[in-house]
Amino acid sequence: MKRIILSLVIMGCIAAPTAHAQLLKKLKDKANSVLEKKTDTDPKETEKPVSGNNNSNNNSGSSTVKAPPNASECTLAVTLEAGEVLMYDETKVYLTDGKTVGWKMVTQKDKKFYLIDNGTRTGPFDEPPLNSISPNAKHSNDLEGSDAIAKKYTKLENGKPTIQFNGKTYGPYFMITEMVVSEDKKHFFATAIEGNNMAAGGVLVSENSKQKLPGMAAKLKVSYNFKYAMCMAMDVSNGGNAYFITNTGKKTGPYDMMAAMQMSEGWLDENGNIITIPQQSPTELLVNGVSVAKFDIEIDKDKLIMSPDPAKSVVFDNGVVYKGDGTKVKADHVLYPHFVTLNNVINICWFQLYKNPQTNNKEIYVCKKPL
């Protein structure tokens, strides 16, 4: 599968710095000029608009609408001052306390920038104070093992490698292959080989656990909350089978070793579940080896929004939300969407720009709709 790093929050692709800046300028120019444009774009009859305003004059790639935003989905966030414009690439939607949707946006006026945080305006600033241009780290939520980090913490004792971590010794081993250390430097996960040769059994270890593996280990990954680790164990003594195994003993497989090495994606969620996208069926999402969702599109991990209930996960691609039951929802009027999980349900959130014909003011609404 060809992987294109996307920002779900902001834009379609992250390019080299120069191309990136040029693309952003084009996007801003287009967004700022769209108020004056009319289009004849209609959602296809087989697609259900995310917005309740199915207005034939709306451009489905734009957040600007001629009719007032749907009151059941949208609330007025701010009225722009004369000459003030919204920077679409500088917006953020998030959960403030796990239950309430909060938002931030940046506007520009007279070459100065302003931050509007849940209705409170601060500024002016010389530079944009909110930069949300980044890959979707929440969905690339695995920390990958590194042999360089393993070497950093490896010390020889009596001629054999050991892990020296925070004053404690782990081992000895025949070889220490990969290691991940937490950001606070208090925890680690590592893969190693015990015994006296490469054919000896591998282990997945941490500062307080050891999981034996049926063979050598590769592809060490750690969950974003650093509670769980997973690796691919290669059992060369049993026909070349491979397995995905976690530090808690969860196991999927066996897989053909070559197929496992080429598996499109494999990672852990924050509950220690093994999430995989099989190369043979790239539209399918597996949890602990069991199919839970099948999309009408090949899954790109960076376009996948995982739900606490994995079967309700969605893929957002090119203005369309694909659901795990094979259906799809057209994200009408949505520009730079954000996704938040509220009460275990994924909500699509977006900013919608409306030119009020009574006041001639440009109003910005924050909208959300459960998927």
Side-chain angles (χ1 to χ4, degrees):
M1 179 190 299
K2 183 178 180 182
R3 297 184 58 196
I4 303 173
I5 302 297
L6 286 196
S7 169
L8 291 174
V9 177
I10 301 151
M11 56 189 301
C13 64
I14 298 297
T18 300
H20 186 184
Q22 292 173 346
L23 179 56
L24 280 180
K25 184 177 185 304
K26 291 179 180 178
L27 284 170
K28 291 177 189 176
D29 290 345
K30 181 178 179 180
N32 291 333
S33 65
V34 76
L35 274 174
E36 309 304 325
K37 295 183 179 180
K38 294 183 179 180
T39 72
D40 297 321
T41 303
D42 276 323
K44 295 180 181 178
E45 291 183 359
T46 57
E47 297 171 336
K48 176 184 175 184
V50 165
S51 170
N53 297 317
N54 188 7
N55 187 334
S56 62
N57 286 328
N58 291 327
N59 185 338
S60 60
S62 166
S63 63
T64 304
V65 293
K66 302 299 181 182
N70 189 325
S72 66
E73 298 172 358
C74 305
T75 57
L76 178 63
V78 66
T79 299
L80 296 178
E81 298 178 357
E84 187 176 22
V85 296
L86 171 67
M87 298 186 67
Y88 286 99
D89 53 303
E90 296 276 342
T91 61
K92 183 177 182 180
V93 177
Y94 56 95
L95 290 182
T96 57
D97 55 8
K99 298 179 181 179
T100 306
V101 174
W103 52 267
K104 295 181 182 181
M105 68 178 75
V106 173
T107 63
Q108 184 179 24
K109 180 182 178 182
D110 298 330
K111 298 183 179 180
K112 295 290 184 178
F113 300 93
Y114 298 85
L115 174 65
I116 305 175
D117 186 347
N118 288 301
T120 302
R121 182 190 295 264
T122 55
F125 304 98
D126 292 328
E127 297 291 335
L130 174 68
N131 185 1
S132 56
I133 301 172
S134 64
N136 183 9
K138 180 67 176 176
H139 298 88
S140 298
N141 62 346
D142 48 301
L143 308 172
E144 296 189 356
S146 165
D147 59 348
I149 294 177
K151 290 176 182 178
K152 180 179 178 180
Y153 289 91
T154 297
K155 303 293 181 183
L156 291 178
E157 283 197 0
N158 299 321
K160 287 196 171 184
T162 63
I163 295 174
Q164 302 285 332
F165 189 80
N166 288 341
K168 295 184 179 180
T169 300
Y170 304 85
Y173 305 104
F174 176 74
M175 179 183 293
I176 302 161
T177 54
E178 290 184 287
M179 190 169 179
V180 181
V181 174
S182 64
E183 188 175 358
D184 60 10
K185 303 295 189 293
K186 294 182 179 180
H187 308 283
F188 79 90
F189 285 101
T191 51
I193 300 172
E194 292 186 318
N196 298 311
N197 56 64
M198 293 291 291
V203 289
L204 171 58
V205 297
S206 70
E207 70 275 6
N208 54 22
S209 68
K210 181 171 77 171
Q211 179 68 42
K212 287 187 173 294
L213 306 171
M216 295 175 56
K219 292 190 173 184
L220 171 64
K221 295 188 177 183
V222 179
S223 63
Y224 194 73
N225 60 7
F226 221 88
K227 291 183 178 180
Y228 307 99
M230 173 185 76
C231 65
M232 186 182 73
M234 299 174 287
D235 186 2
V236 296
S237 66
N238 189 23
N241 287 329
Y243 305 84
F244 285 108
I245 299 177
T246 72
N247 61 309
T248 60
K250 286 184 179 179
K251 178 179 177 181
T252 65
Y255 305 102
D256 175 83
M257 192 174 298
M258 186 60 66
M261 289 295 292
Q262 295 177 350
M263 187 167 286
S264 301
E265 296 292 352
W267 71 98
L268 284 168
D269 69 11
E270 293 186 358
N271 296 312
N273 294 310
I274 302 171
I275 314 296
T276 51
I277 304 168
Q279 187 184 41
Q280 305 91 328
S281 181
T283 64
E284 201 164 8
L285 185 68
L286 307 185
V287 177
N288 299 323
V290 178
S291 177
V292 299
K294 192 166 185 178
F295 301 90
D296 193 29
I297 188 175
E298 288 192 9
I299 304 170
D300 185 321
K301 178 181 175 182
D302 295 294
K303 301 176 184 178
L304 174 68
I305 301 95
M306 290 292 297
S307 168
D309 178 356
K312 296 181 180 178
S313 301
V314 301
V315 174
F316 183 77
D317 183 52
N318 198 28
V320 179
V321 177
Y322 295 85
K323 294 186 176 184
D325 59 5
T327 62
K328 57 184 178 180
V329 179
K330 188 175 179 65
D332 198 29
H333 314 317
V334 172
L335 186 64
Y336 300 139
H338 306 253
F339 296 88
V340 296
T341 301
L342 188 60
N343 297 323
N344 290 331
V345 176
I346 293 178
N347 285 253
I348 183 171
C349 304
W350 68 98
F351 293 91
Q352 196 157 295
L353 186 61
Y354 172 61
K355 189 172 183 179
N356 192 318
Q358 296 179 346
T359 63
N360 210 35
N361 291 330
K362 295 178 183 178
E363 300 172 344
I364 299 175
Y365 288 76
V366 177
C367 309
K368 70 178 178 69
K369 184 179 179 67
L371 295 173

